[in-house]
């Protein structure tokens, strides 16, 4: 894979040593067991895969380089570059400004832009309508476009099935930038509808089977369907694609469910299924798959608690939290600063969208066993800072520096 120039502030000597060693030992990425960091009083199990993915490194590389190469120019980020508060704050500190917030609400009006301004498209991509607006001003959207190639792959898959007259069902979070972009690209070619979860897929199925009147569709899926969508006609041939950061098992379940609905409704055989249900295969990106598989591997280790590090509005990170929560107490934090002391931790409940403080989160025993992973937009330096903060609460028999050297020696 291409190498990117990621600022040194995001790198971690410890994490780099661990990742390099694991890569040498497991070139085919078949081993999803965690790496053990044994400090004596605390044992930290680090997921096999976590942190910056290809799309995030690409976006960071382009964004920082764009700022360097355009001194004196006004530089705008269409919205959050990626869902990590530190990275976005660093870009703003270097003089970039946001045009919109993460939900698409305008902060700076398009009317105030000129053709001399630079606008960076984020890793999630953007809608065709926004591209057209920027191009009409004379701002080239291709030049500083950091759209992840795995997001573009979903757009291409949507276009392929659109050419065969399938309606696209997008499994994604309707307000997420990536889902809005994917919806826009798919809707340009074919009728498109967004479902957020299995419950909504079940509701959609009731329109496929005719259990519900087609007229009710427009109320139940308001804001989720493309212009001119005909619920009576457009659900007769469908294909499922997804926001690249959804939970793999959820997308698979929704796809399997809707496929069965079509088979029953039209009396299809294995040979004739494609007449009604497109074979879209999985459109999750490699990093989402790897990070989720690594969490399944991580959870096989008996432990006292799990810590997941990342931006609170990061979709891929919230799904890692979801997996951990099923097995043990899990704390979703955005940085090491959220670990207030050995007695208290501030963490985010992504179900209720509120930050909570939990006391006595570390059990009074030794060794304490902690599972750690992070989202695809979380810098490795932040994970190392979390590890160092946790280690500072215990009597340890090895320093972080010496442990780093031990991974180098083992490599």
């Amino acid at each position: 894979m291409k190498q990117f120039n990621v600022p040194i502030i995001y790198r971690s000597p410890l994490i780099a040593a661990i990742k390099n060693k694991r890569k040498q030992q497991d070139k085919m990425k078949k081993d999803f067991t965690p790496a053990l960091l044994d400090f004596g009083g605390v044992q930290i199990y680090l997921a096999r895969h976590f942190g910056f993915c290809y799309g995030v490194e690409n976006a960071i590389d382009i964004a920082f380089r764009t700022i360097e190469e355009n001194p004196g120019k006004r530089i705008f980020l269409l919205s959050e570059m990626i869902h990590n508060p530190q990275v976005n704050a660093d870009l703003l500190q270097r003089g970039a400004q946001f045009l919109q917030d993460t939900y698409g609400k305008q902060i700076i009006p398009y009317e105030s832009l000129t053709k001399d301004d630079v606008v960076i498209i984020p890793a999630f991509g953007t809608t065709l309508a926004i591209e057209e607006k920027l191009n009409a001003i004379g701002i080239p959207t291709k030049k500083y476009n950091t759209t992840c190639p795995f997001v573009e792959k979903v757009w291409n898959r949507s276009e392929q099935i659109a050419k065969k007259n399938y309606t696209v069902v997008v499994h994604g979070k309707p307000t997420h930038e990536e889902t809005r972009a994917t919806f826009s690209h798919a809707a340009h070619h074919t009728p498109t509808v967004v479902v957020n979860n299995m419950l909504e897929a079940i509701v959609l199925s009731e329109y496929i089977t005719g259990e519900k009147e087609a007229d009710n569709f427009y109320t139940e899926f308001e804001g989720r369907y493309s212009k001119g969508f005909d619920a009576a006609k457009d659900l007769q041939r469908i294909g499922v694609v997804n926001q690249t950061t959804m939970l793999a098992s959820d997308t698979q379940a929704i796809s399997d469910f809707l496929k069965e609905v079509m088979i029953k409704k039209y009396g299809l055989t294995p040979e004739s299924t494609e007449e009604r249900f497109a074979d879209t295969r999985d459109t999750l990106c490699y990093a989402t798959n790897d990070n989720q598989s690594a969490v399944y591997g991580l959870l096989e280790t008996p432990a006292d608690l799990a810590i997941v590090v990342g931006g609170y509005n990061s979709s891929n990170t919230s799904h890692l939290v979801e997996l951990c929560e099923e097995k043990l107490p899990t704390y979703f934090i955005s940085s090491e600063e959220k670990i207030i002391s050995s007695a208290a931790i501030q963490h985010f409940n992504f179900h209720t969208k509120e930050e909570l403080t939990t006391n006595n989160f570390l059990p009074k025993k030794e060794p304490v066993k902690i599972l750690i992973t992070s989202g695809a937009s979380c810098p490795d330096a932040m994970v190392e800072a979390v590890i160092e903060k946790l280690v500072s609460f215990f009597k340890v028999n090895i320093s972080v520096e010496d442990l780093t050297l031990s991974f180098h020696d083992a490599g």
Side-chain angles (χ1 to χ4, degrees):
M1 275 203 176
K2 187 177 165 187
Q3 293 297 303
F4 298 109
N5 184 16
V6 173
I8 199 159
I9 50 169
Y10 301 141
R11 296 185 204 151
S12 151
L14 172 65
I15 305 299
I18 294 167
K19 284 185 174 178
N20 287 337
K21 182 194 170 190
R22 295 301 303 267
K23 207 171 179 180
Q24 286 165 20
Q25 291 174 334
D26 177 33
K27 288 188 169 68
M28 301 306 290
K29 298 204 294 192
K30 296 274 175 69
D31 178 7
F32 289 105
T33 57
L36 169 61
L37 282 55
D38 191 349
F39 291 97
V42 59
Q43 293 178 341
I44 288 169
Y45 292 86
L46 207 51
R48 168 70 176 96
H49 300 286
F50 62 91
F52 281 177
C53 61
Y54 180 97
V56 166
E57 291 198 343
N58 177 54
I60 287 172
D61 186 345
I62 293 171
F64 280 88
R65 198 172 63 238
T66 299
I67 291 169
E68 274 174 33
E69 290 172 0
N70 291 281
K73 280 199 170 188
R74 291 199 309 170
I75 295 173
F76 296 95
L77 302 170
L78 184 56
S79 61
E80 290 194 5
M81 197 66 236
I82 54 175
H83 284 160
N84 183 272
Q86 184 192 344
V87 174
N88 288 309
D90 289 343
L91 289 165
L92 293 179
Q93 200 177 6
R94 283 163 170 75
Q97 302 174 67
F98 285 139
L99 277 183
Q100 300 177 340
D101 70 10
T102 191
Y103 298 106
K105 188 181 167 197
Q106 210 64 29
I107 297 170
I108 294 168
Y110 288 109
E111 294 74 33
S112 67
L113 301 180
T114 74
K115 62 180 175 54
D116 297 321
D117 293 327
V118 172
V119 175
I120 304 173
I121 307 292
F124 314 109
T126 192
T127 65
L128 292 169
I130 288 173
E131 277 191 29
E132 281 167 20
K133 267 183 187 167
L134 293 171
N135 290 332
I137 296 165
I139 296 169
T141 48
K142 296 268 189 289
K143 193 170 181 185
Y144 303 109
N145 191 337
T146 77
T147 304
C148 174
F150 294 96
V151 172
E152 290 179 335
K153 181 182 162 189
V154 180
W155 299 350
N156 295 337
R157 187 71 54 78
S158 300
E159 193 175 339
Q160 285 161 13
I161 65 172
K163 283 177 180 166
K164 297 177 182 174
N165 299 319
Y166 291 100
T167 287
V168 169
V169 178
V170 181
H171 173 218
K173 298 175 179 177
T175 58
H176 193 283
E177 297 98 318
E178 186 194 319
T179 295
R180 296 201 310 264
T182 296
F183 175 82
S184 164
H185 282 259
H188 182 66
H189 299 287
T190 193
T192 304
V193 61
V194 177
V195 295
N196 191 16
N197 50 36
M198 180 58 94
L199 288 176
E200 290 187 5
I202 291 167
V203 173
L204 187 70
S205 76
E206 291 166 345
Y207 290 104
I208 293 171
T209 59
E211 288 168 67
K212 285 195 168 181
E213 293 278 335
D215 288 352
N216 297 334
F217 170 87
Y218 308 102
T219 309
E220 285 208 77
F221 285 92
E222 189 178 358
R224 312 274 190 90
Y225 58 85
S226 53
K227 194 177 175 185
F229 197 100
D230 185 338
K233 276 189 352 195
D234 293 336
L235 295 171
Q236 293 175 14
R237 281 165 64 83
I238 61 171
V240 178
V241 301
N242 50 12
Q243 180 184 321
T244 59
T245 52
M246 299 307 276
L247 203 54
S249 55
D250 285 357
T251 298
Q252 193 60 56
I254 286 168
S255 189
D256 291 346
F257 168 72
L258 290 175
K259 185 178 183 177
E260 277 306 309
V261 169
M262 298 305 267
I263 288 169
K264 280 183 188 161
K265 159 92 175 167
Y266 294 103
L268 304 172
T269 63
E271 293 73 31
S272 66
T273 301
E274 269 200 65
E275 288 172 16
R276 299 286 176 178
F277 191 84
D279 176 14
T280 54
R281 299 183 299 283
D282 184 17
T283 49
L284 287 179
C285 76
Y286 81 96
T288 298
N289 271 325
D290 285 353
N291 291 355
Q292 289 176 10
S293 298
V295 166
Y296 286 118
L298 184 65
L299 291 171
E300 286 176 20
T301 302
D304 300 299
L305 64 140
I307 290 178
V308 181
V309 193
Y312 292 160
N313 59 343
S314 163
S315 171
N316 77 84
T317 312
S318 69
H319 291 308
L320 303 180
V321 175
E322 204 176 331
L323 293 176
C324 292
E325 280 179 345
E326 289 175 13
K327 288 284 182 80
L328 75 174
T330 300
Y331 303 98
F332 182 5
I333 63 173
S334 57
S335 74
E336 80 284 357
E337 289 168 14
K338 300 296 178 182
I339 305 171
I340 301 160
S341 67
S342 61
I345 187 168
Q346 266 187 330
H347 57 102
F348 188 66
N349 180 329
F350 76 92
H351 307 285
T352 60
K353 304 282 185 278
E354 59 184 338
E355 204 169 43
L356 313 166
T357 300
T358 295
N359 294 312
N360 306 314
F361 75 104
L362 292 172
K364 299 280 189 284
K365 58 170 272 228
E366 285 201 3
V368 172
K369 298 187 175 193
I370 303 174
L371 310 181
I372 293 185
T373 189
S374 73
S377 51
C378 177
D380 284 349
M382 201 169 270
V383 176
E384 180 170 338
V386 167
I387 291 168
E388 286 178 347
K389 186 79 167 270
L390 289 167
V391 168
S392 71
F393 303 140
F394 296 88
K395 283 182 184 162
V396 295
N397 53 22
I398 188 169
S399 68
V400 170
E401 291 75 15
D402 287 342
L403 193 72
T404 303
L405 287 173
S406 75
F407 275 98
H408 278 301
D409 294 343

